[in-house]
Amino acid sequence: MSAPAAVRISFAIALFALAAAAAAADPQAGQVKAKDVCQACHGMDGNSAVPDYPKLGGQRPDYLAKALRDYKSGARKNAIMAGFAGTLSSKDIENLAAYYAAQPAVLIVKP
């Protein structure tokens, strides 16, 4: 097998694995966790009216999951988020990411 073909096959396998991981997430379980952990700051749909809290609704699930993993590991620094993310399992993170990604994005338009 030539090197370019091997690279294409490896890339296809990686994409399949990512798609399978995303499909395995349970947005309904994420909604339950969001209600228990996240809604006080980010709102139930991820679109807090408080400008200090980032809007999560409609964000890409891979971005949301990475951000939560980084808060949990300490790679991303925020004492409040580290405390909340530290309580989440890997499955919780994937479920939350899937739930908030499925919510509508709300943009703030400044005059």
Side-chain angles (χ1 to χ4, degrees):
M1 180 181 313
S2 68
V7 170
R8 283 192 295 265
I9 291 171
S10 296
F11 183 70
I13 290 170
L15 284 176
F16 179 78
L18 285 172
D26 181 356
Q28 289 180 338
Q31 181 180 23
V32 171
K33 188 60 75 169
K35 185 177 181 182
D36 293 343
V37 178
C38 311
Q39 80 166 341
C41 297
H42 295 287
M44 198 58 213
D45 66 352
N47 292 297
S48 175
V50 179
D52 291 341
Y53 303 121
K55 295 200 177 291
L56 307 178
Q59 289 282 356
R60 291 175 41 131
D62 55 337
Y63 167 78
L64 293 169
K66 181 174 181 353
L68 286 170
R69 287 191 302 271
D70 286 353
Y71 284 126
K72 183 174 181 150
S73 73
R76 193 167 178 172
K77 306 292 183 201
N78 181 289
I80 294 169
M81 282 303 301
F84 285 116
T87 68
L88 301 174
S89 69
S90 294
K91 192 67 177 165
D92 290 336
I93 289 171
E94 295 303 320
N95 293 342
L96 279 166
Y99 171 71
Y100 278 124
Q103 302 308 303
V106 175
L107 302 176
I108 297 176
V109 179
K110 294 184 179 183

